[in-house]
Amino acid sequence: MRLSSFAGSDVGRMRSGNEDSYFCGQTVFAVADGLGGHQGGEVASAAAVEPLAGLDGRSFGDAGEAAEALAAAIREANEAIIDRAAGDPSLYGMGTTVTSAAVAGGQLQLAHVGDSRAYLLRGQALEQLTTDHTVVGELVRRGRLTPEQAAIHPERSILTRAVGLDPRVPVDTPDPVELRDGDQVLLCSDGLTEAVDEDQIAELLSAADDGDAACRSLIDAANAAGGPDNITVALLRAGGS
């Protein structure tokens, strides 16, 4: 199955620099959202995508092999970020989210830490494929908050898990997605999802025939809603352009 990919990133309207990084290759894709101040965030997110980019073009035997490779790359990045921060006091406390994907035959395998997200748009239905590693996300999973309450909760961005902060950080590897013709998979930082609701994301992805235009429309929508954070998107389209 043919897979086309597109990506874009924008500083937004409230930040002075862009702490997000992304990689959009042929078989591997990633979005990372850095934390720890401007310099530290940039360094951490770039370090997170570097080992993932090294997997691009590799032929995975199956989704399980892809999951192991993605998780290993994220653990490699985790160690590198911790080591870098230990040697440079100005980078102390830096970390990053990372959401990554790899193509294995007709399947797409994800590996994920933090609150950057992956979505699947199939037909008109948008499904979040990743779990938010946040305090509020955990409260939703326990039934103590509704998704609507979580969306406006003042602590919704507090992470419970990030790359570069814990030497033994767990990496989620959700079940692979069996790609179908017409599927769209979106990886994005929370600069998009904090500003644009899921109904509008689905509408914008459905409305744009061109993948680059779809990415731009998502970024423009986040900025139109105030652009409170850096905005990064990577879009995969199966069977189309």
Side-chain angles (χ1 to χ4, degrees), residues 28-47:
V28 174
F29 315 88
V31 166
D33 179 358
L35 57 140
H38 185 193
Q39 180 185 5
E42 281 187 353
V43 171
S45 66

Side-chain angles (χ1 to χ4, degrees), residues 11 14-18 38 230:
V11 69
M14 302 296 290
R15 299 296 180 94
S16 60
N18 195 340
H38 185 193
N230 308 144

Side-chain angles (χ1 to χ4, degrees), residues 188 203 239:
C188 60
E203 180 181 342

